[in-house]
């Protein structure tokens, strides 16, 4: 049946075939209200714009070293979101040196805090790469191909960039600064760009200084103009504990007066800040922003904006809402970012990202209704999986969820392994590893992987192969297995099965941990230590995200 479905899909347009409603988190309550977060997944530093129809909203977010980069999400009502594209196929396409640099995992580097804007028929995304400068991509069709990244300003330290095209056609750029590169921070600067937004033509001016005040760590600025006022909206006070500032001036270069317009207050929603303001065709104003939830990453919230005081007071009197009336919209479609994958399509699902620039030796779709991941050759001095680029991962979708996958491990040599992983600064995986003519079921766990700490192995069982190749020419040994984990209160528990019906819990409990500037991510791993043997592989038949049974 999977082969038949695959053949049919080959002749269909590459577009969404059906609506998708998550079993583990859907914010639309079906009664005209929604519950935050509107995306319970790590879309860090979100920004949003509205297209020319007035009712097509497009969101992007930080993607750091993960590839493809710059996710593009679409919504008709700011509550129901779908992943439709990525603006970056690699980091950085067209620059051979940088493409090679990002071919190995550069955890926490790359694409920081983008902004998305629609201007004169074009969609633009600007971002700061703290090591290389300010970049921009653009397109006339957000679902189609985005142009190759263009370096607007070259240099270190630039982050969190947003353009503003003024009424007279002039273009300005606001940005923050990364202390880790520039050795100063908590200031915002504005400069003029060329009218086409491709290069700086003016020098930076400090327009806000949060140093030595409660507004420390001011960053992530977004630039707007409303009723003759220039507005900069930015977070301050720290990522997990801070608040949202709004500041206004009659000149893009300030001086700006400022107010706190969103803070945790008496709610349990910490650090509500850094996001984007959108004005709808129905005259409503909304703010999309993130909340830092530790291992789960920075999840996306939606809050109303009240301008009656002349300031954009967000949420309910400046405090974030949990449940609220949905934005006015002509759409009633319930849609969530896809998590499940039957691997029946000739392209990889949009929920998946690699941990570095893609190489076809990492893995490819097959014509057999599976996705194949080849074993990665670990380096001679390897310590843990922090170096592995072919981790095929997606974001955690809820506070509580279960993941089940059906895999076939094909080994060509001793020591090759593959399986399921939850990746972060700490990680844990459940893999099958060939040993002689059998396989070992092993839990591999590492704490402080980013610090170069070694792994700990827990051998759970020895399993007989499902099949051995009949040929004597480079024969493979195969094992079919089902793997599962559940996550609740940040605690992960593994299980396995040979028939997909009876699962046996196994291994040690694991406290999931965020990655470098990203939430924990789960997915598939395949690797080996022999530099000379033919690669083995994992064929993933399907992976499904469900409620915990």
């Amino acid at each position: 049946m999977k082969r038949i479905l695959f053949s049919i899909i080959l002749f269909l347009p590459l577009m969404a075939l059906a609506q998708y409603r998550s079993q583990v988190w859907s914010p639309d309550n079906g009664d005209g209200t929604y519950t935050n977060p509107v995306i319970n997944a790590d879309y860090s530093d979100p920004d949003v714009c509205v297209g020319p129809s007035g009712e097509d909203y497009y969101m992007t977010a930080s993607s750091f070293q993960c590839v493809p980069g710059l996710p593009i999400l679409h919504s008709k009502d700011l509550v129901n979101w779908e992943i439709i594209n990525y603006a970056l196929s690699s980091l950085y396409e067209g620059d051979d040196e940088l493409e090679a640099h990002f071919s190995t995992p550069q955890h926490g580097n790359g694409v920081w805090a983008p902004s998305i804007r629609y201007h004169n028929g074009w969609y633009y995304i600007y971002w700061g790469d703290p090591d290389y400068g300010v970049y921009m991509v653009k397109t006339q069709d957000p679902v189609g191909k985005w142009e190759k990244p263009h370096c607007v300003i070259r240099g270190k330290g630039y982050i969190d960039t947003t353009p503003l095209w003024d009424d007279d056609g002039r273009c300005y750029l606001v940005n923050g600064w990364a202390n880790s590169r520039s050795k100063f921070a908590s200031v915002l600067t504005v400069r003029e760009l060329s009218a086409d937004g491709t290069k700086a033509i003016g020098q930076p001016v400090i327009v806000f200084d949060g140093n030595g005040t409660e507004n420390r760590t001011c960053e992530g600025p977004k630039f707007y103009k409303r009723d003759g006022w220039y507005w900069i909206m930015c977070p301050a006070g720290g990522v997990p504990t801070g608040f949202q500032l709004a500041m206004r001036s009659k000149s893009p270069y300030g001086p700006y007066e400022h107010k706190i317009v969103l803070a945790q207050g008496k709610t349990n929603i910490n650090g509500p800040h850094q996001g984007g303001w959108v004005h709808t065709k129905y005259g409503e104003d909304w703010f999309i922003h993130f909340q830092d939830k530790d291992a789960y990453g920075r999840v996306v919230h939606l809050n109303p904006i009240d301008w009656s005081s002349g300031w954009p007071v967000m949420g309910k009197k400046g405090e974030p809402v949990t449940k609220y009336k949905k934005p006015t919209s002509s759409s009633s479609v319930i849609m969530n970012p896809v998590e499940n994958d039957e691997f029946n399509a000739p392209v990889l699902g949009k929920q998946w990202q690699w941990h570095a620039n893609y190489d076809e030796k990492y893995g490819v779709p097959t014509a057999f209704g599976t996705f194949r991941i080849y074993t990665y050759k670990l380096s001679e001095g390897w310590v843990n999986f922090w170096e592995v680029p072919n981790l095929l991962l997606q974001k955690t979708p809820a506070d509580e969820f279960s993941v089940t996958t059906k895999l076939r491990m094909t080994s060509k040599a001793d020591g090759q392994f593959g399986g399921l992983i939850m990746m972060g600064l700490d990680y844990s995986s459940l893999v099958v590893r060939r040993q002689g003519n059998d396989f070992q079921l092993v839990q591999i766990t590492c704490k402080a992987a980013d610090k170069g700490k070694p792994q700990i192995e827990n051998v759970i069982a020895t399993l007989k192969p499902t099949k051995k190749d009949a040929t004597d020419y480079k024969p493979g040994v195969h094992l079919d297995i089902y793997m599962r984990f559940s996550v609740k209160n940040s605690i992960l528990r593994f299980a396995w099965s040979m028939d997909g019906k009876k699962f046996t819990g196994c291994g040690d409990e694991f406290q999931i941990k965020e990655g470098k500037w990203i939430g924990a991510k789960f997915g598939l791993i395949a690797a080996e230590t022999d530099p000379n043997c033919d690669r083995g592989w994992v064929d993933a038949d399907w992976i499904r995200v469900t409620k915990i049974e």
Side-chain angles (χ1 to χ4, degrees), residues 125-311:
I125 298 177
Y126 283 73
W127 73 95
D129 182 312
D131 295 306
Y132 297 106
V134 178
Y135 283 83
M136 177 266 285
V137 290
K138 66 178 183 176
T139 186
Q140 291 185 300
D141 178 11
V143 185
K145 176 69 174 176
W146 291 68
E147 293 186 0
K148 293 179 181 179
H150 171 79
C151 188
V152 178
I153 305 172
R154 192 170 298 279
K156 281 184 176 288
Y158 302 107
I159 58 171
D160 306 351
T161 54
T162 305
L164 171 68
W165 279 274
D166 210 343
D167 304 329
D168 59 4
R170 297 171 73 177
C171 185
Y172 302 94
L173 186 83
V174 66
N175 70 275
W177 294 85
N179 188 72
S180 57
R181 275 67 165 187
S182 57
K183 299 306 177 186
F184 66 85
S186 296
V187 295
L188 307 179
T189 56
V190 170
R191 78 193 70 205
E192 187 171 0
L193 300 183
S194 56
D196 62 3
T198 61
K199 62 183 178 180
I201 60 173
Q203 295 299 311
V205 175
I206 295 176
V207 297
F208 189 77
D209 186 351
N211 284 283
T213 73
E214 67 175 349
N215 300 318
R216 62 179 179 82
T217 326
C218 58
E219 56 186 3
K222 298 296 189 296
F223 216 172
Y224 308 96
K225 192 174 185 182
R226 181 182 188 271
D227 295 338
W229 289 93
Y230 296 89
W231 289 90
I232 296 176
M233 299 184 188
C234 79
V239 173
T241 58
F243 45 83
Q244 180 70 22
L245 290 175
M247 52 189 77
R248 68 182 184 185
S249 174
K250 286 293 186 178
S251 165
Y253 298 112
Y256 285 84
E257 56 180 321
H258 65 275
K259 291 182 182 294
I260 295 175
V261 293
L262 182 66
Q264 178 173 351
K266 297 179 180 179
T267 74
N268 62 358
I269 301 172
N270 61 292
H273 56 55
Q274 188 149 346
W277 161 46
V278 62
H279 179 75
T280 77
K281 74 175 188 179
Y282 299 99
E284 299 173 354
D285 295 279
W286 298 87
F287 186 62
I288 286 273
H289 66 95
F290 76 73
Q291 174 198 12
D292 190 313
K293 291 177 63 176
D294 299 320
Y296 296 105
R298 302 174 187 183
V299 303
V300 182
H301 285 239
L302 176 68
N303 272 280
I305 298 179
D306 179 5
W307 281 94
S308 61
S309 67
W311 290 84

